[in-house]
Amino acid sequence: MTQTEPGRRERKKAATRLALSVAARDLFLERGFDNVTVAEIADAADTAVSTLFAHFPGGKEALVLGHGRAREEALAAAVRDRAEDVSILQALRDFLATRGPFDPDPDPLSRRVADLVVATPALRAYARTLWTGCEDALTKVIAEQSGQDDFSVRLLARYVLEIPDLVGVEPDPGAALDAALDAAFTFLRRGWPEF
């Protein structure tokens, strides 16, 4: 089936979502997350507060971090689409190494946003919720790919999904984060060597 170009309505919705996200990001970086209201964001994007919540029902946090669906799909694809010689745990480690504060070569704006998330309790909590919200999908894909379907698979998924919150707040970015990520997966490999 050939995918068609989005219609005008879909393009307008996407443009509104982008305008809201950019306005929120810019205001948050300028004044801090807690010092910006949804009304100010809507005004900066030239839209109504009700429109903001229609596009981002998760509120201010979702304006920065989005929703969990894309993250869930990307996480499952990292496991499902890995090369034959790559273990499940290595695929997950490699996936996390490219996300948020783990990104080895972020552009300056992405680094500022990642720092904002780590420094803002509400954003950090929301980010953790987005990761842990992927538990069912990750458990399912690990079970499919490993041929195992028991409590240990769900436990592994939950531990992996806690890593971004635990490791992502290391005080020194860069090599320290990479080392902390490696350490987390070294411990996981001890408990789940078959993965």
Side-chain angles (χ1 to χ4, degrees):
M1 177 180 246
T2 307
Q3 192 165 358
T4 61
E5 291 293 315
R8 181 181 3 194
R9 183 178 177 155
E10 289 77 24
R11 288 192 312 270
K12 284 183 78 174
K13 285 182 178 180
T16 300
R17 280 191 297 272
L18 179 61
L20 286 163
S21 291
V22 168
R25 181 199 65 210
D26 292 348
L27 287 168
F28 294 154
L29 290 174
E30 178 186 328
R31 297 182 8 217
F33 179 81
D34 295 323
N35 298 319
V36 177
T37 67
V38 291
E40 291 170 320
I41 296 165
D43 187 53
D46 196 27
T47 190
V49 171
S50 59
T51 301
L52 182 150
F53 282 111
H55 288 282
F56 294 94
K60 286 172 43 175
E61 294 83 0
L63 285 158
V64 176
L65 296 165
H67 59 80
R69 186 74 181 139
R71 180 182 314 245
E72 189 175 278
E73 290 169 0
L75 191 58
V79 173
R80 191 178 296 111
D81 301 339
R82 72 191 192 286
E84 278 187 41
D85 62 336
V86 175
S87 70
I88 291 172
L89 284 172
Q90 187 62 47
L92 289 167
R93 189 255 178 247
D94 293 347
F95 175 79
L96 289 179
T98 64
R99 305 293 288 217
F102 303 112
D103 186 348
D105 191 28
D107 61 82
L109 184 58
S110 295
R111 172 54 59 202
R112 288 181 64 207
V113 171
D115 291 345
L116 175 71
V117 171
V118 169
T120 307
L123 287 173
R124 184 171 168 211
Y126 187 75
R128 182 175 180 268
T129 298
L130 289 176
W131 281 111
T132 59
C134 298
E135 182 180 325
D136 288 342
L138 184 56
T139 299
K140 180 180 177 186
V141 75
I142 292 173
E144 289 170 355
Q145 294 292 305
S146 68
Q148 297 185 37
D149 190 11
D150 59 19
F151 176 71
S152 70
V153 174
R154 180 165 296 281
L155 191 60
L156 173 61
R158 183 166 296 180
Y159 284 152
V160 167
L161 295 170
E162 290 289 351
I163 290 172
D165 184 56
L166 293 169
V167 176
V169 295
E170 284 292 307
D172 183 22
L177 283 177
D178 195 49
L181 190 59
D182 283 339
F185 276 92
T186 296
F187 282 109
L188 291 176
R189 284 185 192 98
R190 289 180 190 158
W192 287 272
E194 69 275 21
F195 292 101

